[in-house]
């Protein structure tokens, strides 16, 4: 069981938008630690999508955005494209575990 | 652009030691200001961060693996390695190496390898 909770799957039609939630607790996101998001197509290297809650690395389209509120965070993807179909993971730091923790991952299906 | 590539045996016998090496290109692992880390993903499960080695040589391992895990670095080859002793089937996973940036409010992983599947089986 992952420390951070994500929905197992979300789906949306091309052109539409989806939101993926990431729920933590008072020892990680709720304690003020930042949330980071990764896109992972199985068999390939995971890709950093968002860091510091809402910052996009160079090259990441502005269709991807992140937010954080309290002990939760969200990744929003607008204008869905076929190649957005992938697994998405949130990650933060947990003070009780003294290390990085991940969500269980969310599989995005573009219908 | 930094690139990372894992290498090592894909099959390890139970009770033996799992060894993997990560070769870094496009950056030097020494005096880089980064930490170099290992993350694994068991079949059908999520990602699990295992530990890191800082470019100063300082290491940190998750408590559940502390007695079995060693991460080391060879700065002359820009490589860092993982050794996990006394493995069981529960250690079967895809093992990723990654570069860790120590952010003010936690750390994140800005470059990853493609992963190496290691199966523990007799």
């Amino acid at each position: 069981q992952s420390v951070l909770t994500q929905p197992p799957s979300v789906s949306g039609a091309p052109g539409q938008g989806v939101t993926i939630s990431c729920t933590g607790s008072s020892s990680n996101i709720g304690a003020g630690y930042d949330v980071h998001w990764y896109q992972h197509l199985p068999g390939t290297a995971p890709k950093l999508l968002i860091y510091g809650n809402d910052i996009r690395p160079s090259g990441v389209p502005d269709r991807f955005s992140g937010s954080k509120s309290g002990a939760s965070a969200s990744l929003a993807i607008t204008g869905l494209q076929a190649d957005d179909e992938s697994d998405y993971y949130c990650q933060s730091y947990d003070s009780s575990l003294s290390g990085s923790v991940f969500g269980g991952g969310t599989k995005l299906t573009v219908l | 652009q930094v690139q990372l590539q894992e290498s090592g045996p894909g099959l390890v016998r139970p009770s033996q030691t799992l060894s993997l090496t990560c070769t870094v290109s496009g950056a030097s692992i020494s005096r880089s200001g980064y930490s170099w880390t290992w993350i694994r993903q068991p079949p059908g499960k999520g990602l699990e961060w295992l530990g890191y080695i800082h470019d100063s040589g300082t290491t940190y391992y998750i408590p559940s693996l502390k007695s079995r895990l060693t991460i080391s670095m060879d700065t002359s080859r820009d490589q860092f390695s993982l050794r996990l002793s006394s493995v069981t089937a529960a250690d079967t996973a895809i093992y990723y190496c990654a570069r860790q940036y120590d952010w003010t409010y936690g750390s994140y992983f800005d470059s990853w390898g493609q992963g190496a599947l290691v199966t523990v089986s007799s």
Side-chain angles (χ1 to χ4, degrees):
Chain A
Q1 185 142 350
S2 301
V3 174
L4 306 179
T5 301
Q6 297 180 236
S9 63
V10 296
S11 62
Q16 291 188 333
V18 296
T19 300
I20 299 173
S21 62
C22 175
T23 302
S25 67
S26 59
S27 62
N28 42 68
I29 301 174
Y33 294 106
D34 284 350
V35 178
H36 320 291
W37 292 90
Y38 304 88
Q39 180 187 54
H40 182 209
L41 195 60
T44 68
K47 173 186 175 182
L48 177 66
L49 208 57
I50 298 285
Y51 66 94
N53 302 320
D54 57 8
I55 304 171
R56 285 187 307 275
S58 174
V60 174
D62 60 5
R63 300 186 298 105
F64 295 89
S65 63
S67 63
K68 173 189 162 184
S69 177
S72 296
S74 294
L75 172 70
I77 309 172
T78 60
L80 281 173
Q81 300 177 0
D83 60 5
D84 293 335
E85 194 162 279
S86 186
D87 296 329
Y88 293 85
Y89 291 88
C90 61
Q91 176 249 320
S92 186
Y93 179 87
D94 190 287
S95 58
S96 64
L97 299 174
S98 297
S100 293
V101 291
F102 287 93
T106 299
K107 181 176 180 59
L108 168 62
T109 300
V110 180
L111 302 170
Chain B
Q1 179 164 340
V2 61
Q3 293 185 313
L4 297 89
Q5 179 66 57
E6 306 87 351
S7 59
L11 179 65
V12 181
R13 306 301 182 191
S15 80
Q16 299 300 303
T17 296
L18 183 163
S19 296
L20 291 172
T21 296
C22 182
T23 300
V24 179
S25 58
S28 170
I29 66 171
S30 62
R31 298 185 301 280
S32 64
Y34 288 91
S35 296
W36 304 91
T37 192
W38 289 95
I39 295 159
R40 70 181 180 182
Q41 183 175 31
K45 297 187 178 181
L47 298 167
E48 178 184 31
W49 177 75
L50 303 182
Y52 68 80
I53 183 165
H54 190 263
D55 68 353
S56 64
T58 303
T59 55
Y60 179 85
Y61 309 127
I62 59 172
S64 61
L65 292 180
K66 191 173 183 179
S67 63
R68 299 195 292 129
L69 179 61
T70 302
I71 299 176
S72 59
M73 62 196 301
D74 182 344
T75 57
S76 66
R77 297 186 177 189
D78 282 325
Q79 294 178 332
F80 63 104
S81 299
L82 170 151
R83 285 175 55 87
L84 184 64
S85 64
S86 304
V87 297
T88 69
D91 295 309
T92 293
I94 299 174
Y95 286 77
Y96 296 95
C97 59
R99 187 174 73 171
Q100 174 177 309
Y101 182 78
D102 295 320
W103 184 247
T104 304
Y105 298 104
S107 303
Y108 61 85
F109 312 106
D110 65 353
S111 296
W112 298 62
Q114 290 198 319
L117 173 61
V118 180
T119 301
V120 178
S121 175
S122 56

